[in-house]
Structure formats: structure tokens, C-alpha cells
Amino acid sequence: MRDEKPSQRASSLNRPIQTRAREVASSFISINPFFTVFLKPAHVLESYLAVPDMKGIFEKKEKYVHVKLQLGERSWNVKLLLSQRFSFGRLSAGWSLFASENELQPGDVCVFELISRDDPVFKVHVFKRQD
């Protein structure tokens, strides 16, 4: 008897620096593109969250894309700013409401899994900080 695993595994859109985020990213299995963020104090206090480059996911000619962040049965509308010059983007308008309503804290690790490209939806997986 063998273990049934997905035949394909999407690679992460980023390589987290923080050890716990790296561990979460390396054990996360999905056929969808995803990225991992270790939340720092500024991430939950500021009105934006820096995210990796979405090259190949969204057109670079756009300045921003409206996306949904889905957690459980709820979803939040958030603006994803796409950098024309840099290799990162930002979740902006709507991010602070999402962070607040989901009681995100510094030390939490979030995996953002792109489950729909047409009407962009990121399913968010939260791994609460370990004290």
C-alpha cells in the first residue's frame, strides 16, 4: 500500500527567510501557486502587506488587481498593487480589515493559495504563532 499524494506540487512564489515560515512553506502541498508570509508587527499595524512578484499570474501592465482573500466561509475584497519596477507587490486597501477581523498577530504565518485566477481568490491558511 502506498501513500496517495498529489501528482503535482506547485512551487512557492517566494522563499521565506524566517525559519518557521520556511518550514510551513516546505510542508504546504497544493497544485495551486502560493506564497508564504511571516507576519511582523508592521504587517498587522500598517495598511499594506508586501507580497512576492506575481509575474506570470497577473499582467504587469495593470497597476492593481482586485482580489478576494478567503478564510473559512468569509471573503474580503483587497486591492493588490502590482509593481512596475520592483519584484514585489502589495496587498493594500482591505488588508488591515482582513488582518484585524481575523486577529492576525506578529509571529503568525500565512499561506496565500491562489485558488482562482479568473476572479482572483487567494485562500488564506493561518498558522498561529507558537509561544
Side-chain angles (χ1 to χ4, degrees), residues 118-129:
D118 299 330
D119 182 21
V121 178
F122 285 94
K123 183 175 182 180
V124 182
H125 307 266
V126 178
F127 299 84
K128 297 306 271 180
R129 74 176 179 209

Side-chain angles (χ1 to χ4, degrees), residues 9-29 33-39 43 49-52 54 108-114 122-127:
R9 179 178 176 191
S11 57
S12 180
L13 297 172
N14 69 335
R15 296 191 187 280
I17 296 171
Q18 201 280 339
T19 303
R20 183 151 176 270
R22 260 197 331 264
E23 291 169 355
V24 168
S26 66
S27 64
F28 188 80
I29 297 174
F34 66 91
F35 62 91
T36 308
V37 177
F38 178 84
L39 296 180
H43 295 145
L49 174 70
V51 300
M54 298 288 157
D108 292 348
V109 174
C110 295
V111 175
F112 295 81
E113 177 187 15
L114 183 63
F122 285 94
K123 183 175 182 180
V124 182
H125 307 266
V126 178
F127 299 84

Side-chain angles (χ1 to χ4, degrees), residues 63-82:
K63 292 185 179 180
Y64 64 89
V65 176
H66 290 282
V67 300
K68 287 186 182 182
L69 300 182
Q70 179 182 319
L71 185 60
E73 299 298 316
R74 287 200 55 203
S75 64
W76 290 258
N77 293 316
V78 177
K79 186 184 278 188
L80 171 60
L81 300 173
L82 302 170

Side-chain angles (χ1 to χ4, degrees), residues 83-117:
S83 175
Q84 303 294 317
R85 292 181 270 165
F86 304 108
S87 61
F88 61 87
R90 285 186 178 185
L91 292 174
S92 61
W95 164 252
S96 57
L97 179 64
F98 175 83
S100 171
E101 289 189 359
N102 289 291
E103 300 177 351
L104 298 181
Q105 298 292 318
D108 292 348
V109 174
C110 295
V111 175
F112 295 81
E113 177 187 15
L114 183 63
I115 60 171
S116 174
R117 288 182 191 227

